Amino acid sequence: MSAFLDACRCQPTAYTPIWIMRQAGRYLPEYRKLRSQVDFVTLTRTPDLAAEVTLQPLRRYELDAGILFSDIMTPLQGMGIELKFEPGPVVHEPIRTDAQIDALPVLVPERDVPYVLDAVRLVRANAPRGVPLIGFAGAPFTLFCYLVCGRPSKEFAAARAYLYAHPDSAQRLLSHLADAMAAYLTAQAAAGAQALMIFESWAGLLAAKEFQRFALPAVERTVQALRGIGVPIIYYANQGSALMEAVAQLDVAVVGVDWRTPLAATRRTLGPTKAVQGNLDPAALFASPLQLRREADAVLTEAGSAPGHIFNLGHGIWQDTDPDAVARLIDHVHEKSARG
Ligand code: CP3
């Protein structure tokens, strides 16, 4: 019995489940303590530590789901792509040529990233209250942005220019990433992940036309490869409000949206068989306690009473957030949404 998994399937739940993007991370003192002794990459490659960091927020709060502590770039590092976290990912040799694309190895998760799968197993064995675990991957286009640009950026100009300058090469790279992430997500589910989330953090860079031409077919390829896997798939489209009609075509159980994307209209576009996840502004956690409750109520009202809403922030929690505000938000969402 899990309110989170039921909501993913648009089943009625006793209350609206809630979890928080980037819930395992720097706003938590217990994370900062561990992180002061161990660098980020070591955390992601040491199953005991990755599992410990994943479990930290689940011990502190009545969250309805956990998310594996890792990074969207971790499987690419496992494929032999060299990068550093500063703290955002910086790729040593950005991908710009066909020869580099042809040379990309195939990802074999059990061989290349065994530590991720061991972390999944450890979390499953130790999750408090039987909280379900979400595994995740970056969406092909979002990974493409980092690989082609080489570093975080507002515009990802080099990546967007590449779509126009070399559309066929871009498609090949996207397909390769789509297959790699399909293998990666399949392996996480086999290791015990009970839901899978695909992060399209840079969806908002694209107009609907380019999204339909490049990003959507690539993630569709990943999603099709996961058909029949039996765990719900969540597609998070950051700044995707202009893309929801296209996203509605994707065969996923849940669509996650940011705080600029109106939930009620999104639900109408997605229809009754897709659940939605979101979408409180991470900045709202800096409001007074009363105002934070009002902001949370507004999200619940926008989501409406039909089954299939998972409460979350619209994007990752900010590192200077007060951990007590998170506790108040979770309790309030549970109380306010309780259906007798
Ligand atoms: O609780 C969780 O959500 C699990 C952990 C998680 C991390 N990264 C840990 C992390 C998840 C789900 C991610 C996904 C991720 N990584 C995304 C998609 C989600 C999103 O925010 O849109 C993206 C775009 C990345 C790429 C990335 N990794 C960036 C931009 C950064 C730097 C910015 C930042 O938040 O610090 C990272 C590094 C990173 N990933 C850190 C953490 C905790 C910081 C490393 C540190 O402790 O110094």
Side-chain angles (χ1 to χ4, degrees):
M1 278 297 290
S2 154
F4 167 74
L5 292 173
D6 287 346
C8 286
R9 300 190 163 97
C10 289
Q11 300 295 314
T13 56
Y15 56 87
T16 300
I18 173 171
W19 70 278
I20 306 250
M21 283 195 270
R22 295 285 177 98
Q23 65 192 19
R26 287 163 300 179
Y27 74 105
L28 286 180
E30 53 270 38
Y31 174 80
R32 287 200 300 272
K33 186 162 175 245
L34 196 63
R35 182 67 180 72
S36 69
Q37 294 148 10
V38 191
D39 69 83
F40 177 68
V41 172
T42 304
L43 280 186
T44 62
R45 290 188 182 165
T46 312
D48 282 344
L49 297 179
E52 168 59 23
V53 175
T54 303
L55 294 168
Q56 282 176 347
L58 304 180
R59 295 195 196 105
R60 187 187 263 262
Y61 305 120
E62 294 283 320
L63 289 157
D64 295 295
I67 183 158
L68 183 69
F69 185 80
S70 190
D71 195 83
I72 58 169
M73 302 303 282
T74 303
L76 302 182
Q77 284 181 301
M79 283 165 68
I81 294 172
E82 284 187 52
L83 57 97
K84 293 191 292 263
F85 289 93
E86 296 184 346
V90 178
V91 179
H92 289 203
E93 289 176 26
I95 294 186
R96 301 285 167 83
T97 67
D98 285 348
Q100 283 173 293
I101 298 172
D102 293 335
L104 282 174
V106 168
L107 177 71
V108 182
E110 291 285 358
R111 178 191 71 195
D112 299 333
V113 284
Y115 36 82
V116 173
L117 307 176
D118 286 339
V120 169
R121 294 182 191 106
L122 276 172
V123 174
R124 277 306 305 279
N126 294 291
R129 299 171 275 114
V131 181
L133 175 66
I134 305 167
F136 74 89
F141 173 70
T142 290
L143 298 174
F144 172 96
C145 286
Y146 284 109
L147 287 177
V148 174
C149 260
R151 51 176 59 246
S153 144
K154 267 209 178 86
E155 294 262 10
F156 285 97
R160 291 211 299 121
Y162 197 88
L163 297 179
Y164 286 92
H166 309 288
D168 296 338
S169 302
Q171 304 271 23
R172 281 204 302 125
L173 178 51
L174 287 164
S175 293
H176 190 94
L177 293 169
D179 293 344
M181 291 311 112
Y184 185 54
L185 291 166
T186 301
Q188 290 182 59
Q194 292 142 295
L196 298 169
M197 179 147 161
I198 303 177
F199 284 93
E200 193 77 275
S201 301
W202 309 121
L205 293 174
L206 299 179
K209 191 163 61 70
E210 278 64 46
F211 182 78
Q212 301 240 28
R213 180 167 176 205
F214 293 104
L216 190 67
V219 70
E220 181 72 38
R221 187 175 167 111
T222 303
V223 168
Q224 287 306 323
L226 297 169
R227 268 174 82 112
I229 198 166
V231 308
I233 298 171
I234 308 168
Y235 179 65
Y236 168 71
N238 186 32
Q239 298 205 44
S241 59
L243 308 172
M244 283 302 136
E245 284 180 21
V247 169
Q249 300 162 23
L250 201 56
D251 190 14
V252 294
V254 187
V255 173
V257 297
D258 69 276
W259 66 96
R260 290 146 294 204
T261 303
L263 272 187
T266 298
R267 296 206 76 177
R268 281 195 296 277
T269 306
L270 296 176
T273 58
K274 278 189 173 63
V276 287
Q277 178 172 279
N279 67 345
L280 185 72
D281 186 341
L285 285 162
F286 293 78
S288 69
L290 174 64
Q291 190 63 27
L292 175 57
R293 291 198 295 276
R294 286 185 180 145
E295 299 293 340
D297 291 349
V299 172
L300 289 168
T301 303
E302 262 279 299
S305 54
H309 176 223
I310 298 152
F311 200 108
N312 204 317
L313 303 184
H315 202 178
I317 189 169
W318 295 354
Q319 57 177 311
D320 49 348
T321 305
D322 176 1
D324 291 339
V326 176
R328 286 189 274 105
L329 173 66
I330 293 167
D331 289 346
H332 181 71
V333 167
H334 284 157
E335 279 162 29
K336 186 76 181 190
S337 66
R339 291 171 271 269

Short mmCIF file of all heavy atoms in Angstrom, two decimals, residues 75-76 79 105-114 116-117 120-121 135-138 140 143 174-193 196 198 218-219 221-227 229 233:
data_model
loop_
_atom_site.label_atom_id
_atom_site.label_comp_id
_atom_site.label_asym_id
_atom_site.label_seq_id
_atom_site.Cartn_x
_atom_site.Cartn_y
_atom_site.Cartn_z
N PRO A 75 25.59 7.76 -15.00
CA PRO A 75 25.76 6.67 -15.97
C PRO A 75 26.69 7.03 -17.12
O PRO A 75 27.34 6.15 -17.69
CB PRO A 75 24.32 6.41 -16.47
CG PRO A 75 23.57 7.66 -16.17
CD PRO A 75 24.19 8.22 -14.91
N LEU A 76 26.77 8.33 -17.46
CA LEU A 76 27.68 8.73 -18.54
C LEU A 76 29.12 8.59 -18.07
O LEU A 76 30.00 8.15 -18.83
CB LEU A 76 27.39 10.16 -18.99
CG LEU A 76 25.95 10.40 -19.48
CD1 LEU A 76 25.79 11.85 -19.95
CD2 LEU A 76 25.59 9.44 -20.60
N MET A 79 30.03 5.16 -18.49
CA MET A 79 30.33 4.81 -19.88
C MET A 79 31.73 5.28 -20.29
O MET A 79 32.14 5.09 -21.43
CB MET A 79 29.32 5.48 -20.83
CG MET A 79 27.98 4.78 -20.87
SD MET A 79 26.70 5.85 -21.64
CE MET A 79 27.24 5.93 -23.32
N PRO A 105 30.63 4.15 -26.10
CA PRO A 105 30.34 2.75 -25.81
C PRO A 105 28.87 2.55 -25.43
O PRO A 105 28.15 3.49 -25.11
CB PRO A 105 31.25 2.44 -24.62
CG PRO A 105 31.57 3.74 -24.01
CD PRO A 105 31.41 4.80 -25.05
N VAL A 106 28.44 1.30 -25.52
CA VAL A 106 27.11 0.92 -25.06
C VAL A 106 27.16 0.80 -23.54
O VAL A 106 28.14 0.31 -22.98
CB VAL A 106 26.71 -0.42 -25.71
CG1 VAL A 106 25.48 -1.02 -25.06
CG2 VAL A 106 26.51 -0.23 -27.22
N LEU A 107 26.12 1.28 -22.85
CA LEU A 107 26.09 1.17 -21.39
C LEU A 107 25.59 -0.22 -20.98
O LEU A 107 24.51 -0.64 -21.39
CB LEU A 107 25.17 2.25 -20.80
CG LEU A 107 24.99 2.21 -19.27
CD1 LEU A 107 26.27 2.64 -18.55
CD2 LEU A 107 23.84 3.10 -18.83
N VAL A 108 26.41 -0.89 -20.19
CA VAL A 108 26.00 -2.17 -19.59
C VAL A 108 25.94 -1.93 -18.09
O VAL A 108 26.97 -1.94 -17.42
CB VAL A 108 26.99 -3.31 -19.94
CG1 VAL A 108 26.51 -4.63 -19.34
CG2 VAL A 108 27.16 -3.42 -21.45
N PRO A 109 24.74 -1.66 -17.56
CA PRO A 109 24.65 -1.15 -16.18
C PRO A 109 25.33 -2.02 -15.13
O PRO A 109 26.07 -1.50 -14.29
CB PRO A 109 23.14 -1.05 -15.95
CG PRO A 109 22.57 -0.83 -17.33
CD PRO A 109 23.43 -1.66 -18.23
N GLU A 110 25.12 -3.35 -15.17
CA GLU A 110 25.70 -4.19 -14.12
C GLU A 110 27.23 -4.14 -14.15
O GLU A 110 27.88 -4.30 -13.13
CB GLU A 110 25.21 -5.65 -14.23
CG GLU A 110 23.73 -5.84 -13.90
CD GLU A 110 23.41 -5.78 -12.40
OE1 GLU A 110 24.35 -5.62 -11.57
OE2 GLU A 110 22.21 -5.89 -12.07
N ARG A 111 27.78 -3.89 -15.32
CA ARG A 111 29.24 -3.81 -15.46
C ARG A 111 29.76 -2.39 -15.19
O ARG A 111 30.78 -2.20 -14.52
CB ARG A 111 29.63 -4.24 -16.88
CG ARG A 111 31.12 -4.16 -17.19
CD ARG A 111 31.38 -4.33 -18.68
NE ARG A 111 30.94 -3.15 -19.44
CZ ARG A 111 30.78 -3.13 -20.77
NH1 ARG A 111 30.97 -4.23 -21.49
NH2 ARG A 111 30.40 -2.02 -21.37
N ASP A 112 29.04 -1.40 -15.70
CA ASP A 112 29.56 -0.02 -15.72
C ASP A 112 29.18 0.81 -14.51
O ASP A 112 29.89 1.74 -14.15
CB ASP A 112 29.09 0.69 -16.98
CG ASP A 112 29.57 0.01 -18.26
OD1 ASP A 112 30.63 -0.65 -18.20
OD2 ASP A 112 28.89 0.13 -19.29
N VAL A 113 28.02 0.53 -13.93
CA VAL A 113 27.57 1.31 -12.77
C VAL A 113 26.98 0.39 -11.69
O VAL A 113 25.88 0.62 -11.19
CB VAL A 113 26.54 2.40 -13.16
CG1 VAL A 113 27.21 3.59 -13.83
CG2 VAL A 113 25.43 1.85 -14.06
N PRO A 114 27.75 -0.67 -11.31
CA PRO A 114 27.20 -1.62 -10.33
C PRO A 114 26.87 -0.94 -9.00
O PRO A 114 25.91 -1.32 -8.32
CB PRO A 114 28.35 -2.64 -10.15
CG PRO A 114 29.59 -1.92 -10.59
CD PRO A 114 29.14 -0.99 -11.69
N VAL A 116 25.50 1.90 -8.46
CA VAL A 116 24.15 2.49 -8.45
C VAL A 116 23.12 1.40 -8.12
O VAL A 116 22.21 1.61 -7.30
CB VAL A 116 23.82 3.12 -9.82
CG1 VAL A 116 22.36 3.59 -9.87
CG2 VAL A 116 24.77 4.29 -10.11
N LEU A 117 23.28 0.24 -8.74
CA LEU A 117 22.31 -0.83 -8.55
C LEU A 117 22.42 -1.40 -7.13
O LEU A 117 21.40 -1.73 -6.50
CB LEU A 117 22.52 -1.91 -9.61
CG LEU A 117 22.51 -1.33 -11.04
CD1 LEU A 117 22.83 -2.41 -12.07
CD2 LEU A 117 21.19 -0.65 -11.36
N VAL A 120 20.54 0.96 -4.91
CA VAL A 120 19.09 0.71 -5.01
C VAL A 120 18.71 -0.45 -4.08
O VAL A 120 17.76 -0.35 -3.29
CB VAL A 120 18.67 0.38 -6.46
CG1 VAL A 120 17.24 -0.14 -6.52
CG2 VAL A 120 18.83 1.62 -7.35
N ARG A 121 19.48 -1.52 -4.15
CA ARG A 121 19.15 -2.70 -3.32
C ARG A 121 19.25 -2.37 -1.83
O ARG A 121 18.41 -2.78 -1.03
CB ARG A 121 20.11 -3.86 -3.66
CG ARG A 121 19.91 -4.39 -5.08
CD ARG A 121 20.84 -5.57 -5.40
NE ARG A 121 20.79 -5.83 -6.82
CZ ARG A 121 21.76 -5.52 -7.71
NH1 ARG A 121 22.90 -4.98 -7.29
NH2 ARG A 121 21.60 -5.77 -8.98
N GLY A 135 13.79 5.43 -8.92
CA GLY A 135 15.06 5.48 -9.65
C GLY A 135 14.94 6.56 -10.71
O GLY A 135 13.84 7.03 -11.00
N PHE A 136 16.04 7.00 -11.28
CA PHE A 136 15.91 8.07 -12.27
C PHE A 136 17.03 8.08 -13.30
O PHE A 136 18.05 7.41 -13.14
CB PHE A 136 15.82 9.44 -11.58
CG PHE A 136 17.14 9.93 -11.01
CD1 PHE A 136 18.02 10.68 -11.79
CD2 PHE A 136 17.49 9.65 -9.71
CE1 PHE A 136 19.23 11.14 -11.27
CE2 PHE A 136 18.70 10.10 -9.18
CZ PHE A 136 19.56 10.85 -9.96
N ALA A 137 16.80 8.87 -14.34
CA ALA A 137 17.80 9.12 -15.37
C ALA A 137 17.53 10.48 -15.97
O ALA A 137 16.42 11.02 -15.84
CB ALA A 137 17.75 8.05 -16.46
N GLY A 138 18.52 11.05 -16.62
CA GLY A 138 18.30 12.25 -17.40
C GLY A 138 17.62 11.87 -18.71
O GLY A 138 17.86 10.79 -19.24
N PRO A 140 17.17 12.04 -22.75
CA PRO A 140 18.24 12.13 -23.76
C PRO A 140 18.59 13.56 -24.13
O PRO A 140 19.79 13.91 -24.19
CB PRO A 140 17.65 11.36 -24.96
CG PRO A 140 16.70 10.39 -24.35
CD PRO A 140 16.14 11.06 -23.13
N LEU A 143 20.65 15.32 -21.37
CA LEU A 143 22.03 14.82 -21.34
C LEU A 143 22.81 15.37 -22.54
O LEU A 143 23.99 15.74 -22.42
CB LEU A 143 22.04 13.28 -21.36
CG LEU A 143 21.36 12.62 -20.16
CD1 LEU A 143 21.30 11.11 -20.37
CD2 LEU A 143 22.10 12.94 -18.86
N LEU A 174 21.23 11.45 -29.78
CA LEU A 174 20.03 11.34 -28.94
C LEU A 174 19.57 9.88 -28.87
O LEU A 174 19.18 9.39 -27.80
CB LEU A 174 18.92 12.24 -29.48
CG LEU A 174 19.13 13.74 -29.24
CD1 LEU A 174 18.21 14.58 -30.14
CD2 LEU A 174 18.88 14.08 -27.77
N SER A 175 19.61 9.18 -29.98
CA SER A 175 19.18 7.77 -29.98
C SER A 175 20.11 6.92 -29.11
O SER A 175 19.66 6.03 -28.38
CB SER A 175 19.19 7.20 -31.40
OG SER A 175 18.21 7.83 -32.16
N HIS A 176 21.40 7.21 -29.22
CA HIS A 176 22.36 6.45 -28.41
C HIS A 176 22.07 6.68 -26.92
O HIS A 176 22.06 5.74 -26.12
CB HIS A 176 23.79 6.88 -28.75
CG HIS A 176 24.83 5.99 -28.14
ND1 HIS A 176 25.37 4.91 -28.81
CD2 HIS A 176 25.38 5.98 -26.91
CE1 HIS A 176 26.23 4.30 -28.01
NE2 HIS A 176 26.26 4.93 -26.85
N LEU A 177 21.84 7.92 -26.55
CA LEU A 177 21.54 8.24 -25.15
C LEU A 177 20.21 7.62 -24.73
O LEU A 177 20.07 7.13 -23.60
CB LEU A 177 21.51 9.76 -24.96
CG LEU A 177 22.87 10.46 -25.14
CD1 LEU A 177 22.69 11.98 -25.21
CD2 LEU A 177 23.82 10.08 -24.00
N ALA A 178 19.24 7.61 -25.64
CA ALA A 178 17.94 7.01 -25.33
C ALA A 178 18.10 5.53 -25.01
O ALA A 178 17.50 5.02 -24.04
CB ALA A 178 16.98 7.20 -26.51
N ASP A 179 18.90 4.83 -25.79
CA ASP A 179 19.11 3.39 -25.55
C ASP A 179 19.88 3.17 -24.25
O ASP A 179 19.56 2.25 -23.48
CB ASP A 179 19.87 2.76 -26.73
CG ASP A 179 19.04 2.77 -28.00
OD1 ASP A 179 17.80 2.97 -27.92
OD2 ASP A 179 19.63 2.59 -29.09
N ALA A 180 20.88 4.00 -24.01
CA ALA A 180 21.66 3.85 -22.78
C ALA A 180 20.77 4.06 -21.56
O ALA A 180 20.83 3.30 -20.58
CB ALA A 180 22.83 4.84 -22.77
N MET A 181 19.90 5.09 -21.61
CA MET A 181 19.04 5.36 -20.44
C MET A 181 17.96 4.29 -20.30
O MET A 181 17.54 3.98 -19.18
CB MET A 181 18.44 6.77 -20.54
CG MET A 181 19.48 7.88 -20.37
SD MET A 181 20.56 7.65 -18.92
CE MET A 181 22.13 7.32 -19.71
N ALA A 182 17.53 3.70 -21.40
CA ALA A 182 16.57 2.59 -21.30
C ALA A 182 17.21 1.42 -20.55
O ALA A 182 16.60 0.84 -19.64
CB ALA A 182 16.12 2.15 -22.69
N ALA A 183 18.46 1.11 -20.90
CA ALA A 183 19.16 0.02 -20.20
C ALA A 183 19.36 0.37 -18.73
O ALA A 183 19.18 -0.47 -17.83
CB ALA A 183 20.51 -0.24 -20.88
N TYR A 184 19.71 1.62 -18.49
CA TYR A 184 19.99 2.08 -17.12
C TYR A 184 18.74 2.01 -16.24
O TYR A 184 18.77 1.51 -15.11
CB TYR A 184 20.51 3.52 -17.21
CG TYR A 184 20.97 4.13 -15.92
CD1 TYR A 184 21.93 3.50 -15.14
CD2 TYR A 184 20.48 5.36 -15.50
CE1 TYR A 184 22.38 4.08 -13.96
CE2 TYR A 184 20.92 5.95 -14.33
CZ TYR A 184 21.87 5.31 -13.56
OH TYR A 184 22.31 5.88 -12.40
N LEU A 185 17.63 2.48 -16.78
CA LEU A 185 16.38 2.48 -16.01
C LEU A 185 15.87 1.05 -15.82
O LEU A 185 15.35 0.70 -14.74
CB LEU A 185 15.33 3.36 -16.70
CG LEU A 185 15.65 4.86 -16.66
CD1 LEU A 185 14.77 5.63 -17.65
CD2 LEU A 185 15.46 5.43 -15.24
N THR A 186 16.00 0.22 -16.84
CA THR A 186 15.59 -1.18 -16.72
C THR A 186 16.36 -1.86 -15.59
O THR A 186 15.79 -2.59 -14.77
CB THR A 186 15.83 -1.93 -18.06
OG1 THR A 186 15.09 -1.28 -19.08
CG2 THR A 186 15.42 -3.38 -17.96
N ALA A 187 17.66 -1.58 -15.52
CA ALA A 187 18.49 -2.19 -14.48
C ALA A 187 18.10 -1.68 -13.09
O ALA A 187 18.09 -2.45 -12.12
CB ALA A 187 19.97 -1.90 -14.76
N GLN A 188 17.76 -0.41 -12.98
CA GLN A 188 17.33 0.12 -11.68
C GLN A 188 16.03 -0.55 -11.23
O GLN A 188 15.86 -0.88 -10.05
CB GLN A 188 17.14 1.63 -11.75
CG GLN A 188 18.45 2.40 -11.89
CD GLN A 188 18.21 3.90 -11.91
OE1 GLN A 188 17.66 4.47 -10.97
NE2 GLN A 188 18.60 4.54 -12.99
N ALA A 189 15.10 -0.74 -12.17
CA ALA A 189 13.84 -1.41 -11.81
C ALA A 189 14.11 -2.85 -11.40
O ALA A 189 13.56 -3.34 -10.41
CB ALA A 189 12.86 -1.35 -12.98
N ALA A 190 15.01 -3.53 -12.13
CA ALA A 190 15.33 -4.91 -11.79
C ALA A 190 15.98 -4.99 -10.40
O ALA A 190 15.79 -5.95 -9.66
CB ALA A 190 16.26 -5.51 -12.84
N ALA A 191 16.71 -3.96 -10.02
CA ALA A 191 17.36 -3.93 -8.70
C ALA A 191 16.38 -3.54 -7.59
O ALA A 191 16.70 -3.63 -6.42
CB ALA A 191 18.54 -2.96 -8.72
N GLY A 192 15.17 -3.06 -7.97
CA GLY A 192 14.16 -2.80 -6.95
C GLY A 192 13.51 -1.43 -6.98
O GLY A 192 12.63 -1.16 -6.16
N ALA A 193 13.92 -0.55 -7.90
CA ALA A 193 13.27 0.76 -7.95
C ALA A 193 11.79 0.57 -8.32
O ALA A 193 11.47 -0.18 -9.24
CB ALA A 193 13.95 1.66 -8.98
N LEU A 196 10.14 5.14 -11.87
CA LEU A 196 11.31 5.65 -12.60
C LEU A 196 10.99 7.04 -13.09
O LEU A 196 9.94 7.27 -13.68
CB LEU A 196 11.62 4.74 -13.80
CG LEU A 196 12.00 3.30 -13.46
CD1 LEU A 196 12.03 2.44 -14.73
CD2 LEU A 196 13.35 3.22 -12.74
N ILE A 198 12.23 10.42 -15.30
CA ILE A 198 13.10 10.89 -16.38
C ILE A 198 13.10 12.42 -16.33
O ILE A 198 12.06 13.05 -16.49
CB ILE A 198 12.61 10.38 -17.74
CG1 ILE A 198 12.53 8.84 -17.74
CG2 ILE A 198 13.53 10.88 -18.86
CD1 ILE A 198 11.98 8.24 -19.04
N ALA A 218 13.24 11.07 -28.89
CA ALA A 218 14.32 10.42 -28.14
C ALA A 218 13.80 9.84 -26.83
O ALA A 218 14.06 8.68 -26.50
CB ALA A 218 15.46 11.40 -27.89
N VAL A 219 13.03 10.64 -26.09
CA VAL A 219 12.53 10.11 -24.81
C VAL A 219 11.47 9.04 -25.07
O VAL A 219 11.35 8.06 -24.31
CB VAL A 219 12.04 11.25 -23.87
CG1 VAL A 219 10.77 11.90 -24.35
CG2 VAL A 219 11.88 10.72 -22.45
N ARG A 221 11.65 6.87 -27.36
CA ARG A 221 12.44 5.66 -27.59
C ARG A 221 12.81 4.98 -26.26
O ARG A 221 12.71 3.75 -26.12
CB ARG A 221 13.69 6.06 -28.38
CG ARG A 221 14.54 4.93 -28.87
CD ARG A 221 15.66 5.52 -29.71
NE ARG A 221 16.68 4.52 -29.97
CZ ARG A 221 16.92 4.00 -31.18
NH1 ARG A 221 16.23 4.40 -32.22
NH2 ARG A 221 17.86 3.09 -31.34
N THR A 222 13.18 5.80 -25.28
CA THR A 222 13.48 5.25 -23.95
C THR A 222 12.22 4.64 -23.35
O THR A 222 12.23 3.50 -22.85
CB THR A 222 14.01 6.36 -23.02
OG1 THR A 222 15.16 6.96 -23.61
CG2 THR A 222 14.37 5.80 -21.65
N VAL A 223 11.13 5.39 -23.41
CA VAL A 223 9.88 4.95 -22.78
C VAL A 223 9.36 3.67 -23.44
O VAL A 223 8.91 2.75 -22.77
CB VAL A 223 8.83 6.10 -22.84
CG1 VAL A 223 7.45 5.60 -22.49
CG2 VAL A 223 9.25 7.24 -21.92
N GLN A 224 9.47 3.59 -24.77
CA GLN A 224 9.00 2.38 -25.47
C GLN A 224 9.81 1.16 -25.05
O GLN A 224 9.27 0.06 -24.90
CB GLN A 224 9.08 2.56 -26.99
CG GLN A 224 8.01 3.49 -27.56
CD GLN A 224 6.60 3.08 -27.16
OE1 GLN A 224 6.28 1.89 -27.08
NE2 GLN A 224 5.76 4.05 -26.85
N ALA A 225 11.10 1.36 -24.83
CA ALA A 225 11.95 0.24 -24.41
C ALA A 225 11.58 -0.23 -23.00
O ALA A 225 11.92 -1.35 -22.61
CB ALA A 225 13.42 0.66 -24.45
N LEU A 226 10.89 0.63 -22.24
CA LEU A 226 10.51 0.27 -20.86
C LEU A 226 9.09 -0.31 -20.79
O LEU A 226 8.61 -0.63 -19.71
CB LEU A 226 10.59 1.52 -19.97
CG LEU A 226 11.98 2.14 -19.81
CD1 LEU A 226 11.90 3.49 -19.12
CD2 LEU A 226 12.89 1.21 -19.01
N ARG A 227 8.44 -0.41 -21.95
CA ARG A 227 7.06 -0.93 -21.96
C ARG A 227 6.99 -2.28 -21.28
O ARG A 227 7.85 -3.12 -21.49
CB ARG A 227 6.57 -1.10 -23.39
CG ARG A 227 5.85 0.10 -23.91
CD ARG A 227 5.56 -0.11 -25.34
NE ARG A 227 4.37 -0.92 -25.50
CZ ARG A 227 3.24 -0.43 -26.02
NH1 ARG A 227 3.18 0.80 -26.42
NH2 ARG A 227 2.19 -1.20 -26.12
N ILE A 229 7.42 -2.95 -18.23
CA ILE A 229 8.34 -3.11 -17.10
C ILE A 229 7.58 -3.15 -15.77
O ILE A 229 8.07 -3.65 -14.77
CB ILE A 229 9.40 -1.99 -17.14
CG1 ILE A 229 10.60 -2.35 -16.28
CG2 ILE A 229 8.81 -0.65 -16.72
CD1 ILE A 229 11.79 -1.48 -16.54
N ILE A 233 6.26 5.36 -14.80
CA ILE A 233 7.31 6.26 -15.29
C ILE A 233 6.80 7.70 -15.16
O ILE A 233 5.67 8.01 -15.54
CB ILE A 233 7.67 5.93 -16.74
CG1 ILE A 233 8.21 4.50 -16.79
CG2 ILE A 233 8.70 6.92 -17.29
CD1 ILE A 233 8.40 3.99 -18.18
#
